[in-house]
Amino acid sequence: MSAARRLIVNADDFGFTRDVNRGIIDAHRNGILTSTTLMANGAAFEDAVELALATPSLDVGVHLTLVGGPGQPPTVTALLKELALGRVHAYEELAAQLGRITAAGIAPTHLDTHKHTHLWPGVLDAVLRVAREFGVEWVRAPFDYPAAPESWKTRSLRLLEPGFRRKIAAKGIKVTDRFAGFSMTGTFGTADLAGLIERLPDGMTEFMCHPGYCTDELRAARTRLKESRERELNALVSAEVREALVRAGVELTSYRVA
């Protein structure tokens, strides 16, 4: 009988840099990471594909990117303006990204978006369309489980939740019972992750994380998450976090086997 509490631990940004790729693989091989999402336009895409094909136990999805990538608007605000003006065609871009990943031999099981852009209805429509066309069953519902006091940002995003969930249900796409990690990004360590695990309610939760090694390659990249990636990696491979899973009776799983 499977545990009442199940946890998918997903690393975003696979393919961003080689040191991020290496951290994700180590978090899977030596820690509790079960899943990752691959950036088709990441600078280290080919390296990530090679690592994924050599690590068949790692569940791989797609980290769809409409902002911050090569030739893309630099911020979510800029993206929304470009979408309104008809200068960005979300479906065509996202279909091309999925096409590149499947052509590389990866069969993705789940989708999420960089900066959670699919919270916006027009982007969500495109994500759901490519999910159906490429046979992907799962899409992230990035509404943070309130394990800690919510920020104004997480509270405001909840205003989009009813419409988001209606569209997901109408298309027959699956989501986890809850999601965690939004408020913790860039700030959590071993004790924080162990505490979250012990507080998880029944059902299946996706925990989003961003592990990696902070070498010169990552330091030169455009991201606010640098040293924090090593702190997250250390948490994911720690004995304390594994012990928390046992104490709480939480079963690790992935989108592939869920």
Side-chain angles (χ1 to χ4, degrees):
M1 184 175 180
S2 64
R5 291 186 280 181
R6 294 187 293 159
L7 179 65
I8 294 170
V9 182
N10 187 85
D12 291 8
D13 296 349
F14 197 38
F16 184 60
T17 59
R18 288 172 298 174
D19 43 7
V20 166
N21 293 348
R22 185 160 56 91
I24 289 170
I25 293 297
D26 285 353
H28 173 64
R29 290 177 176 166
N30 305 315
I32 69 167
L33 190 93
T34 60
S35 171
T36 190
T37 37
L38 175 60
M39 304 173 79
N41 57 2
F45 171 77
E46 290 83 2
D47 178 69
V49 169
E50 182 178 345
L51 289 169
L53 295 176
T55 315
S57 56
L58 179 63
D59 184 19
V60 180
V62 182
H63 196 54
L64 296 164
T65 305
L66 290 173
V67 61
Q72 295 180 339
T75 65
V76 173
T77 300
L79 170 64
L80 296 177
K81 180 179 179 180
E82 294 295 287
L83 287 168
L85 295 171
R87 295 173 181 165
V88 171
H89 303 284
Y91 166 75
E92 288 81 357
E93 174 61 28
L94 301 184
Q97 291 179 24
L98 266 163
R100 186 183 189 200
I101 287 171
T102 56
I106 304 292
T109 59
H110 58 291
L111 305 177
D112 55 46
T113 57
H114 189 51
K115 304 294 184 183
H116 308 302
T117 54
H118 69 300
L119 286 170
W120 309 107
V123 177
L124 178 59
D125 290 341
V127 169
L128 296 179
R129 182 177 172 186
V130 296
R132 294 295 298 271
E133 290 178 357
F134 284 84
V136 180
E137 296 183 345
W138 294 85
V139 169
R140 174 184 286 170
F143 300 99
D144 219 19
Y145 170 65
E150 290 188 294
S151 67
W152 68 266
K153 190 172 185 180
T154 55
R155 288 194 299 269
S156 62
L157 289 178
R158 286 195 183 281
L159 297 175
L160 300 169
E161 186 171 3
F164 181 99
R165 292 194 181 278
R166 281 195 298 271
K167 285 190 174 186
I168 288 275
K171 296 296 184 181
I173 298 295
K174 294 189 284 189
V175 297
T176 58
D177 297 309
R178 62 197 52 81
F179 167 80
F182 185 94
S183 298
M184 296 170 67
T185 296
T187 64
F188 79 85
T190 299
D192 304 299
L193 180 53
L196 173 69
I197 287 169
E198 293 185 344
R199 294 191 300 271
L200 286 177
D202 288 350
M204 185 163 63
T205 301
E206 180 196 353
F207 176 70
M208 174 187 71
C209 56
H210 300 81
Y213 291 101
C214 189
T215 70
D216 289 344
E217 186 176 359
L218 179 59
R219 291 189 187 99
R222 185 176 177 179
T223 176
R224 70 179 179 88
L225 303 177
K226 296 184 187 290
E227 289 81 4
S228 66
R229 293 183 190 260
E230 288 202 9
R231 187 168 61 249
E232 292 195 15
L233 173 58
N234 290 336
L236 292 165
V237 302
S238 70
E240 182 179 338
V241 164
R242 283 199 175 276
E243 290 163 2
L245 288 169
V246 174
R247 284 195 303 272
V250 174
E251 175 189 316
L252 291 176
T253 189
S254 69
Y255 286 103
R256 183 186 298 154
V257 301

